Amino acid sequence: SVSCVSSRRVLLICVAIIVLLEMAHPTDQVSVNVMRKSDGKKLEFILPETTTIRELKNDLKHRLTPQFVPGCRLIFRDEVLKGKHTLKHYGIKVGVDDQDILMDDSREWRSSSSSDSEVEKH
């Protein structure tokens, strides 16, 4: 009876640890490297693939500050990333390699093609 109770406690503890580990490292987390064009400095981000480009840019303002904050562009595989879309929308997702994003902060981008543009023409 004592060993049965001990075994049950060990099992419950193991299940609790597994649940906590899954919560700490959700399976939708992606690794993205952002390189600042002005100086080549890189920073790795671990983010949910549902993160919007706007959210990533807000994080960048604090962790890898661009030379021109309001109008820098984020570029992935030769495409300017739009703020309203998610990482997953651009194919940045779990299990995909080569997920480097270029932060073009070489000038202050101010056009409808900027990744921060709120307006989309239909």
Side-chain angles (χ1 to χ4, degrees):
S1 175
V2 171
S3 78
C4 182
V5 171
S6 292
S7 296
R8 181 174 245 151
R9 282 185 185 161
V10 169
L11 179 62
L12 288 173
I13 290 170
C14 289
V15 169
I17 289 171
I18 290 169
V19 168
L20 288 173
L21 286 173
E22 287 178 355
M23 288 172 53
H25 301 286
T27 57
D28 73 336
Q29 298 284 307
V30 295
S31 173
V32 177
N33 293 305
V34 178
M35 184 185 80
R36 186 170 49 203
K37 184 176 180 177
S38 61
D39 63 2
K41 184 174 180 182
K42 289 183 180 181
L43 190 62
E44 181 182 20
F45 290 82
I46 307 293
L47 302 164
E49 60 188 10
T50 56
T51 300
T52 65
I53 301 307
R54 185 170 295 107
E55 291 168 331
L56 174 58
K57 286 183 82 170
N58 285 334
D59 200 6
L60 280 168
K61 289 177 187 178
H62 301 287
R63 296 181 55 202
L64 190 66
T65 307
Q67 186 176 355
F68 297 104
V69 176
C72 76
R73 287 182 169 180
L74 297 181
I75 301 167
F76 178 68
R77 297 184 180 159
D78 297 323
E79 183 175 1
V80 176
L81 307 183
K82 303 292 181 183
K84 68 180 184 175
H85 293 303
T86 64
L87 296 172
K88 188 174 183 177
H89 172 85
Y90 291 106
I92 302 170
K93 51 191 173 185
V94 176
V96 176
D97 294 328
D98 187 30
Q99 302 193 120
D100 295 338
I101 295 175
L102 175 67
M103 177 175 55
D104 187 350
D105 65 337
S106 59
R107 68 182 186 126
E108 190 166 1
W109 297 96
R110 290 282 188 192
S111 74
S112 62
S113 64
S114 172
S115 64
D116 237 6
S117 177
E118 295 285 332
V119 179
E120 179 172 321
K121 298 182 177 164
H122 297 281

